[in-house]
Amino acid sequence: MAAELHVELVAADRSVWSGEATLVVARTTSGDIGVMPGHQPLLGVLESGPVTIRTSDGATVVAAVHGGFLSFADDKLSLLAEIAELADEIDVERAERALERAKSDTDAASERRAEVRLRAVAAH
């Protein structure tokens, strides 16, 4: 059996995803990071962006994450996000409308959130 790490993706309002994985890729303030079993312990600040989880059974889970923290030790990865949505939960038409609205209102934060949602769906 391949080495695994236990992953918990939690948003402020709910548990988004939990399970065993072989690789997690996330964007931090230091850049993109890939975490695999046996990685050195770390603590990082999450940037808005897609998080990609390669599950132990070979599937891929993608989530749009908007800020938060990640912590890894003893093959346990915790992603504590301000906002997180699984790619298959995202309403693409709604995200596209939100992006257009944010662009016309020159609302950079809303524009970034909509772009991250659409990137997560595209990566899925």
Side-chain angles (χ1 to χ4, degrees):
M1 181 167 85
E4 299 177 334
L5 58 121
H6 183 73
V7 179
E8 293 282 339
L9 173 57
V10 180
D13 60 343
R14 67 187 177 117
S15 176
V16 178
W17 190 87
S18 177
E20 305 305 312
T22 57
L23 172 68
V24 176
V25 178
R27 175 152 298 160
T28 70
T29 54
S30 300
D32 288 352
I33 186 168
V35 179
M36 297 174 70
H39 196 285
Q40 292 293 315
L42 71 98
L43 180 62
V45 177
L46 289 170
E47 289 281 328
S48 291
V51 168
T52 304
I53 303 167
R54 176 72 44 91
T55 66
S56 296
D57 62 5
T60 300
V61 175
V62 180
V65 172
H66 309 281
F69 299 91
L70 79 115
S71 171
F72 181 77
D74 301 323
D75 285 334
K76 293 182 181 117
L77 178 65
S78 297
L79 299 136
L80 310 169
E82 294 172 23
I83 301 169
E85 307 168 84
L86 294 175
D88 56 8
E89 297 174 339
I90 295 170
D91 180 334
V92 175
E93 290 177 6
R94 182 175 174 218
E96 289 171 342
R97 286 192 308 269
L99 178 59
E100 291 306 312
R101 194 170 41 255
K103 284 181 178 179
S104 67
D105 294 344
T106 62
D107 182 348
S110 293
E111 186 175 343
R112 176 78 176 141
R113 283 191 302 272
E115 287 173 344
V116 168
R117 287 182 178 111
L118 291 171
R119 283 184 25 226
V121 169
H124 183 335

